[in-house]
Structure formats: structure tokens, C-alpha cells
Amino acid sequence: MNIKKESKSTLFLLIIIVISLIIMFFLSMGMEHLNSSKNYNWIFYFLGYVVLLIVFGWLHKKFPNKILEYFNIVISFPLALALFLLQFAIPTMGLILHIFLFGLFTIALPLLLIRTNEYFDYVNLKEQTNLFIILTFATCVSVAFYKQILNFIYQFGPFRLKDSEKMKKFKLDELTEYVLNKENIRFIIYSSFFIYLLVFSFQFLQNSSVFEIAEKDRAVYQSFLCFLAFDRLLLNSKRFILMPSELLKRMINSITQNEKE
């Protein structure tokens, strides 16, 4: 790995992300201000600007000359700048939103099951048991079904990557899957559990606990053990070869060979 090259790439990447976040911040603040303001004159100003833009565009096509060309450039500059800033921010915005939705989706289902159980009072679950269920389900599902979750987000997410031709040109699916692939997700989960185990071990040796309820520490620890076993199961399942057709073939061969003898 070229450290110098990667350092420069990291710097440029941070600059792009920071600028995109600034654009998103001012965009959201502007939208919030417009929504909270009871003065809707800006709508008429915007419509007037659009009409002016159309008129000067038509005049420039009808009577092409340098003066109208300059006027057309000046008038269209604010719109071009706004579109450029939006286009600049969309990749970062899409990546952050997809990561957020991915994490939300993996946690939402176990939370829904827990809330349903609480509502109907099927089983009396303790807080540490709920924590164990959420962590175990979220980590295992994020690794085993990450592709299906991403496809669901692409199909029904705010960007609608499966249907929108305009959004396909940004290739947000490729950008997202470069970050949210199985190996990266697995690395993040293992890193998170490793950091927690360091803190947990230190607190344990100090006769203390990370949570106020000591059983929650065990819940996180047991969740890690379950994920570890599940992850090893997934990895070893690729080596597991037991085809019924092949087994039947071998059994028939074994039977026929015995008959021949």
C-alpha cells in the first residue's frame, strides 16, 4: 500500500465529505427556514426567476448575439451553481443515508419483535435479554443478509436506485457496496466487540461493570459468542458438501456393488 498516495486520497476524501456536509447543513437550514416562515413571497420570486430564465433562453435561441448570451449566462449561473452543489453533495448524502438505513433496518426487526412481545405479554424478558436479542440479531443479519437489505433500500429508499434513471448515473449502489460489503461489516462488528471486551475486561478486573446492571455486560459478551459461532458457521458452510443426489448415487453404487459380489 502506497502510504503517501493513500494519505492524499484520505485528505481529499475528508475535504469532499466536509464540503458535502456543509452544503447539506445549509440546504436543510434553508428548507427549515422556508417552512417555518409564513411569508411565501419566495415562491413568486422563484417562479419569476424561472420565467426570466425561460424567456432569456428563448431570446438567445431566437436572436443569437453576444449580449443575450452574456445575459443568459449571468441569469442561469445561480441555478447552475445550485445544481452543481446538489450534485456534489448527493454521493455523500446517499452514502450516509444508506449506512443509516442499513443499521436501522437490522435493529428495527428485533425491536419490533420485542415491542410486540411486551404488548401481548407472551414472555417476560429482562433488559439484558432484550439487549442480547437486539445485538445478536442485528450482527448476524447484517452479515448473512446484507445484500438483501441493500437491495430493499435501493428499491424502497428515498433515492429509489432501482427505478430512478436520474439517480443511476451517480452509481450510489457501487459507492454504498464498496463501503457496506460483507468483509467491512464483519470487520466493524469484530472491532466493536473487541473494543468493548477490552473495556469489559478492565472493568471486570477492577470488580466493576460497564453498565449499571452487571448482567448487561454478560449479555453483550454472550452476543459476541453467538455472533462468533454464527460467523464461523457461515464460513465453514462453504466447505460443507453433502448433496442428496450425490449421496443417493453413492448409496446405489454401494448397493449394486454388494449385489454383484
Side-chain angles (χ1 to χ4, degrees), residues 109-119 125 130 133-134:
L109 187 55
L111 281 175
L112 179 63
L113 293 175
I114 290 172
R115 292 293 177 264
T116 303
N117 176 71
E118 291 177 354
Y119 181 80
L125 298 177
N130 291 335
I133 292 172
I134 292 171

Side-chain angles (χ1 to χ4, degrees), residues 18-248:
V18 169
I19 294 175
S20 300
L21 291 175
I22 292 173
I23 295 172
M24 292 162 56
F25 172 76
F26 281 107
L27 182 63
S28 61
M29 290 293 291
M31 294 298 294
E32 184 178 353
H33 175 72
L34 292 175
N35 289 331
S36 60
S37 176
K38 295 182 179 180
N39 186 0
Y40 296 101
N41 290 335
W42 65 271
I43 297 177
F44 299 102
Y45 294 143
F46 179 74
L47 291 176
Y49 171 76
V50 172
V51 171
L52 195 64
L53 192 65
I54 294 173
V55 169
F56 270 93
W58 178 81
L59 287 174
H60 179 251
K61 288 183 179 180
K62 193 72 174 177
F63 310 103
N65 58 72
K66 290 293 183 181
I67 297 176
L68 287 176
E69 183 180 354
Y70 289 142
F71 270 106
N72 194 36
I73 292 173
V74 171
I75 292 174
S76 61
F77 177 76
L79 181 61
L81 179 62
L83 291 176
F84 171 76
L85 293 176
L86 184 62
Q87 183 170 343
F88 190 88
I90 280 178
T92 301
M93 186 168 30
L95 179 61
I96 293 175
L97 188 59
H98 285 164
I99 293 174
F100 172 76
L101 290 175
F102 184 89
L104 183 65
F105 190 86
T106 56
I107 297 175
L109 187 55
L111 281 175
L112 179 63
L113 293 175
I114 290 172
R115 292 293 177 264
T116 303
N117 176 71
E118 291 177 354
Y119 181 80
F120 291 102
D121 197 20
Y122 290 130
V123 182
N124 184 19
L125 298 177
K126 297 181 179 180
E127 289 185 23
Q128 54 269 26
T129 308
N130 291 335
L131 179 62
F132 169 78
I133 292 172
I134 292 171
L135 287 179
T136 305
F137 185 93
T139 52
C140 293
V141 167
S142 63
V143 171
F145 302 103
Y146 85 100
K147 190 65 178 177
Q148 289 79 0
I149 296 174
L150 287 179
N151 286 333
F152 182 85
I153 294 173
Y154 296 157
Q155 184 70 39
F156 302 103
F159 290 102
R160 299 295 179 95
L161 299 185
K162 296 292 185 180
D163 302 324
S164 176
E165 293 296 330
K166 293 181 179 179
M167 298 308 301
K168 284 181 180 180
K169 66 180 182 180
F170 290 99
K171 299 181 179 180
L172 290 178
D173 51 346
E174 295 182 11
L175 179 63
T176 301
E177 289 173 24
Y178 181 75
V179 177
L180 281 180
N181 58 65
K182 185 179 289 188
E183 298 306 320
N184 288 353
I185 294 171
R186 184 180 283 119
F187 177 80
I188 292 171
I189 293 173
Y190 275 112
S191 299
S192 301
F193 276 125
F194 174 73
I195 293 172
Y196 178 82
L197 288 175
L198 284 178
V199 178
F200 167 74
S201 300
F202 179 81
Q203 293 291 97
F204 178 78
L205 294 174
Q206 291 291 109
N207 295 322
S208 182
S209 61
V210 179
F211 294 97
E212 293 182 3
I213 303 176
E215 284 76 10
K216 287 187 176 181
D217 289 334
R218 299 196 197 103
V220 179
Y221 180 72
Q222 293 298 325
S223 176
F224 171 65
L225 292 180
C226 288
F227 170 75
L228 184 62
F230 180 77
D231 190 47
R232 298 308 302 175
L233 181 66
L234 287 180
L235 294 175
N236 289 326
S237 64
K238 298 177 182 179
R239 305 173 187 173
F240 181 77
I241 302 175
L242 184 59
M243 303 295 293
S245 57
E246 182 65 24
L247 179 60
L248 177 62

